[in-house]
Amino acid sequence: MLSTMQDVPLTVTRLLEHGMRVHARSRITTWTGEGEPRRRTFAEAGARSAQLAHALHDELGVRGDDRVATLMFNNAEHVEAYFAVPAMGAVLHTLNLRLPAEQLVWIVQHASDRVVIVDGSLIPVLAPLLPRMTSVKHVVVSGPGDRSALDGTHARVHDYEELIAGRPATYDWPELDERQAAAMCYTSGTTGDPKGVVYSHRSIYLHSMQVNMAESMGLTDRDTSLIVVPQFHVNAWGLPHATFMTGINMLMPDRFLQPAPLAEMIERERPTHAAAVPTIWQGLLAELNARPRDVSSLVQVTIGGSACPRSLMEAFDAKGMRVCHAWGMTETSPLGTVARPPAHAVGTDEELGYRLTQGRFPAGVEARLTGPDGERLPWDGKSAGELEVRGPWIAGAYYNGADAEPLRPDDKFSPDGWLKTGDVGTISPDGYLTLTDRAKDVIKSGGEWISSVALENALMAHPDVVEAAVVAVPDERWGERPLATVVLKDGAAADFAALRAFLAEEARIAKWQLPERWTVVDAVPKTSVGKFDKKVLRRQYAAGELDVTRL
Ligand code: AMP
């Protein structure tokens, strides 16, 4: 029997129309460095999305599923593109502005981007690469910047404001199939070519509902969210879409991502929520310790992208900024788990332990653990295996490029269609995920696994340590052993024996897991999205570029 219910497609268009009508007065505030921020209501941004869609269609010839790329920071114009492009039926492709030049060119060509909307401040990134981006016919520049560098290429250059000015503020949005492509994002690709994930209207809509649930971010139009996680990094964790659903006000930092302007933004604009990777928050913490500010408005901070160290969570909690830890990936839209403690643990000694896990799975994400021989492992909180997931906002394939069969075969997907995350961990009987490593980062010493993440977190709890990254290095006797790389506080001495004793005594790390190789660096190398780049550390070690002390 078929249901009697209406079959209304779940589309980004619906989010746009809802947000601009029902939450017309909610605001997008864009930081401008000096002077007043740029302020725009959802109604205004929605009208400008319609104008942008007219411009893209009438002037730039965007048709069907043409790709419109953005090379932009988090700002109101980027949000306008977020809605205009999918709602008109085209595909938004957010470009990671920190990728190496070669990868950016490769990605644009692979996706066959026809238009690039670029922040004026990012012209220096785009201009030298544009001659090789042959699919790009039009560049639309938003905001001030020296445009002369874009002259003389095959692409026509337009000004965002001039392009949309005078066009109708409404658009007759087409009826779309909810399974159609809405947006795409390439994985940061630490190994091999980046892989394209293509989100559907349906997946974005359902993911937005999940982001808004009380168990996830649980925000409303009484909130303002400081969205530091870039819009090119998994759609800023789905926040811009989610805001149009519930009217959450957005505070956008644009290019002002350093600790001092972030602290100023929080003090002046008083957001209630913020989202970013741990490295951003480490920087902000140091800034607040050096120059205290009034950050009392900020009561909830979502941290994900890499594991949240206990020391960071405790330091933020102590300042009244309560951390909520979450796990996800480009392939999972990204919301996979959120670490809200279960009711019975609230207010007990168990609470912090739950909050430090990666979190529990929402109903929309099914999970299973697979052992080294492909066996299913129990959810007993002890058996560690590779996490596999499936659900309506989880990728089932990668994009293969316009000239090929669209779906690229890949060993990231199991024969029965689950995503193999490459993350290794345990799941407790009550559904909480604890990641112990990336499959490729785990240290295999004498046939046993050592968790690099556990060692890093323990080291970062030491008062002299600002950052710590642990990688596997070859060892004649044990196969692999951990190399501990630490960044020390200004003025702290490199006393490795003391750090090792701290791991053993304070963190209760088993003796056989304690690193004997140690090195101090000025900063841990980071990937384009701010995660520890362990590949670089391994290469530096292999090339003898690190000054390693052996205890
Ligand atoms: P990306 O696709 O760039 O967002 O990277 C996804 C990967 O980041 C995941 O597969 C994890 O390895 C890592 N990751 C994301 N969130 C967390 C977290 N809360 N704890 C540990 N690792 C995380």
Side-chain angles (χ1 to χ4, degrees):
M1 193 201 293
L2 280 180
S3 83
T4 61
M5 308 317 285
Q6 299 181 12
D7 193 7
V8 178
L10 309 176
T11 59
V12 172
T13 323
R14 188 69 202 110
L15 297 182
L16 167 63
E17 288 176 326
H18 171 79
M20 62 186 293
R21 173 174 288 182
V22 174
H23 300 294
R25 292 161 63 156
S26 290
R27 282 173 183 277
I28 311 171
T29 304
T30 307
W31 198 250
T32 51
E34 42 197 42
E36 261 302 282
R38 203 153 65 246
R39 298 183 197 279
R40 203 162 285 163
T41 64
F42 282 15
E44 288 161 350
R48 286 166 53 92
S49 288
Q51 292 181 302
L52 176 61
H54 282 292
L56 291 172
H57 184 273
D58 300 348
E59 184 91 15
L60 273 49
V62 171
R63 295 288 183 278
D65 61 2
D66 277 351
R67 263 70 72 200
V68 176
T70 52
L71 187 66
M72 302 173 91
F73 287 102
N74 291 11
N75 52 46
E77 293 71 23
H78 204 171
V79 175
E80 288 157 15
Y82 254 52
F83 287 102
V85 175
M88 67 188 288
V91 183
L92 180 85
H93 177 195
T94 49
L95 296 171
N96 179 343
L97 53 97
R98 299 213 176 78
L99 279 187
E102 287 315 310
Q103 282 193 17
L104 260 183
V105 173
W106 188 92
I107 285 173
V108 167
Q109 293 291 98
H110 191 258
S112 309
D113 294 334
R114 181 182 171 84
V115 177
V116 180
I117 308 178
V118 61
D119 278 341
S121 60
L122 289 169
I123 291 174
V125 176
L126 180 67
L129 311 180
L130 191 55
R132 286 188 287 147
M133 296 174 167
T134 51
S135 64
V136 176
K137 306 292 177 240
H138 299 273
V139 174
V140 181
V141 182
S142 169
D146 177 11
R147 296 168 193 209
S148 60
L150 294 170
D151 291 345
T153 72
H154 59 281
R156 273 181 60 201
V157 180
H158 312 260
D159 175 80
Y160 187 99
E161 294 301 328
E162 285 171 17
L163 192 65
I164 70 169
R167 296 188 190 271
T170 57
Y171 193 98
D172 191 9
W173 303 112
E175 274 296 315
L176 300 172
D177 183 331
E178 65 178 15
R179 292 163 301 180
Q180 213 171 300
M184 62 196 303
C185 187
Y186 281 73
T187 59
S188 29
T190 38
T191 49
D193 286 334
K195 295 172 183 176
V197 174
V198 183
Y199 307 105
S200 66
H201 283 264
R202 173 187 158 84
S203 72
I204 289 176
Y205 191 101
L206 292 171
H207 181 260
S208 302
M209 294 188 79
Q210 184 60 47
V211 168
N212 281 320
M213 284 179 78
E215 185 67 6
S216 302
M217 300 200 200
L219 304 174
T220 71
D221 64 348
R222 270 88 69 199
D223 287 293
T224 296
S225 177
L226 169 59
I227 306 178
V228 186
V229 53
Q231 285 184 257
F232 59 73
H233 188 200
V234 214
N235 300 320
W237 297 347
L239 276 162
H241 297 121
T243 60
F244 264 59
M245 198 171 246
T246 43
I248 306 157
N249 299 280
M250 290 181 247
L251 174 58
M252 296 303 214
D254 200 81
R255 62 184 191 281
F256 305 97
L257 297 164
Q258 307 71 25
L262 285 177
E264 195 186 338
M265 257 171 251
I266 297 168
E267 185 166 52
R268 277 185 38 198
E269 295 295 325
R270 305 197 60 74
T272 55
H273 172 259
V277 294
T279 25
I280 294 275
W281 300 127
Q282 300 277 19
L284 183 73
L285 196 60
E287 168 71 22
L288 292 176
N289 287 336
R291 277 169 291 276
R293 311 280 188 126
D294 177 5
V295 291
S296 57
S297 67
L298 189 55
V299 291
Q300 196 197 149
V301 173
T302 305
I303 298 189
S306 356
C308 176
R310 180 188 186 123
S311 50
L312 183 65
M313 186 174 284
E314 287 179 334
F316 262 63
D317 283 359
K319 291 189 188 302
M321 302 184 282
R322 196 173 160 89
V323 169
C324 183
H325 189 204
W327 164 87
M329 46 200 304
T330 305
E331 290 86 338
T332 65
S333 291
L335 207 148
T337 54
V338 183
R340 301 260 185 210
H344 68 81
V346 174
T348 74
D349 293 348
E350 284 180 274
E351 184 170 5
L352 186 63
Y354 273 109
R355 291 176 58 214
L356 280 164
T357 68
Q358 270 63 29
R360 65 178 157 189
F361 297 95
V365 181
E366 272 180 271
R368 68 187 187 194
L369 290 176
T370 304
D373 301 320
E375 73 278 23
R376 297 275 165 270
L377 299 176
W379 290 19
D380 57 7
K382 292 194 284 284
S383 310
E386 182 176 4
L387 172 68
E388 300 184 5
V389 290
R390 100 174 157 165
W393 57 84
I394 312 285
Y398 291 113
Y399 179 62
N400 209 9
D403 302 328
E405 278 291 303
L407 302 186
R408 161 177 168 164
D410 199 284
D411 60 9
K412 283 278 274 189
F413 302 98
S414 69
D416 58 347
W418 291 56
L419 170 72
K420 299 203 255 179
T421 63
D423 286 326
V424 173
T426 62
I427 303 177
S428 65
D430 49 355
Y432 282 80
L433 170 71
T434 299
L435 289 186
T436 48
D437 245 312
R438 289 291 291 164
K440 60 182 187 317
D441 289 339
V442 76
I443 302 155
K444 294 175 206 89
S445 172
E448 298 282 344
W449 283 1
I450 301 176
S451 160
S452 63
V453 174
L455 289 173
E456 286 161 5
N457 283 341
L459 279 169
M460 286 192 272
H462 190 281
D464 286 345
V465 176
V466 181
E467 274 182 345
V470 177
V471 295
V473 295
D475 182 274
E476 269 185 20
R477 178 146 181 232
W478 300 107
E480 287 178 352
R481 290 293 299 159
L483 162 73
T485 310
V486 289
V487 179
L488 295 174
K489 282 229 171 85
D490 281 348
D495 186 346
F496 298 135
L499 288 177
R500 195 177 142 101
F502 176 81
L503 288 182
E505 285 152 26
E506 297 293 323
R508 310 232 166 275
I509 303 279
K511 194 154 172 273
W512 66 273
Q513 301 188 338
L514 297 175
E516 44 288 302
R517 293 173 181 82
W518 294 79
T519 185
V520 172
V521 291
D522 292 337
V524 175
K526 307 270 173 14
T527 68
S528 59
V529 287
K531 304 182 187 191
F532 290 170
D533 199 340
K534 298 197 178 179
K535 180 173 61 16
V536 173
L537 280 177
R538 282 191 283 260
R539 199 169 56 222
Q540 287 173 340
Y541 178 82
E545 288 166 14
L546 298 174
D547 180 13
V548 176
T549 300
R550 210 164 160 158
L551 295 181

